[in-house]
Amino acid sequence: MNAPTGSRVIRHTSTSGHLVAASAPPVAFATRLRLFSLLDRHLLKEIASSFALGLGIFTFVLLMNQMIRLMGLIINKGIGVGIVLRLFLYILPFSLTVTIPMSVLLAILATYGRLSSEGEAIALKTSGLSLYRLMVPGLLVGIAATLVTLWITISVQPSSTRALITLIHRLYQTKAIMALQEGVFNTDYPGLIVYVDRLEERSDSLTGILIIDRRNPADQRVVIAQEGKMPGDDAGGGSRTAIQLSRGNIHLTSAENPGRHRNLKFETYELQVQAAGRLAETFERTKEGREMSLAELRAQIKRLRKEGGNAPPLEVEWNKKFALPIACLILSLVGVPLGMRIKRASRGISLALSAAFAVFYYVLLAAGESLGSRGWIDPALGIWSPNILLGLIAIGLVLAEGREALVPARLRSAARDLAIPLPRGVSQRKTSYERRQQ
């Protein structure tokens, strides 16, 4: 591309040896640099690669504990791989609403930090490119991440959360033995205390069983059996299951006559149990806030306000559906000027900074959510306070970085000392700093 007549073309090379820009006078260069130019595409490509790396790392760290538990379902409890994959996919949307904002900040810090540390930002500013024009690729990524996260929080997360809870309930019905732990007194079944010396979850078999049945106040039973099975409800059609016991005794005590005791010996005995409320509630239960769509949340909040019920927890969920996506855009605004100030950037430094900002943001968010849910502060204020604070930090960083001239006075002095040719439009301008030095 030919430069305009009467101008000098300057070619800058970064410390990595890549050509950064071929520039005429700064105004002409800025005019020709349109949206999605070669520079924009280069930055977007680098941001995308760092974003993918950050998303994988953050999501893996966040889900590590869950993945260990899911592997335990396959190895120890005999749950099929397909069901475990479904559980993982249902958990994933909630995790992405947390890791996407973190990954946006990491990607922008890594990209603009490298741009600054390798001298490419200096060359681009020398060519007449302002900070605000350099921010465009980062802001585009922030807007795209905001829209994706908004789609997840509004459309995907409610249905996935509902499907996750329903699948867990069905698992505890069809695989009732999952609710038991060996060597402890299990209280997960209403009115029963169950102790199992040893259990084989793949075959649903139990060994060394002690059951205290207090469901009938007039007749307390203590059941002791050598063996048993707990196959669950394979049809998954109800919330009741049975413990099939073999070779044991039933000790009966009457509440009206405590001195009366009966001992019944059995070869086989089937004990009907009701599935635990916290493990396998019936499917007709009320939806939680995370499972509701926007319309359902709005209707439920309106109803609770009218009836004088506890509306703040649902108001918190409503605001979170919008606050978390907007955090992507705010963090992109933070990342560009902060990355430009990093003189020796690496992905390790960017990872540490993004993790620090993420911890700072989510601690504030958790505190605001807790205070808002209890009604101590307005739910909207509690959820949006972290965004407001980060937004103020972003505005301060952008204004501080944007105050610098296209090429700072010290940079021009260093360029003259090193005999680096600069465009006439830049080399002839003097700032107040240079005039004071004279």
Side-chain angles (χ1 to χ4, degrees), residues 305-320:
R305 284 177 176 174
K306 185 177 180 180
E307 297 176 356
N310 188 22
L314 295 183
E315 294 178 27
V316 165
E317 288 297 329
W318 168 275
N319 285 280
K320 279 177 63 179

Side-chain angles (χ1 to χ4, degrees), residues 57-68:
I57 292 175
F58 289 133
T59 304
F60 175 78
V61 172
L62 187 64
L63 291 178
M64 185 182 298
N65 186 45
Q66 297 293 339
M67 287 189 288
I68 293 174

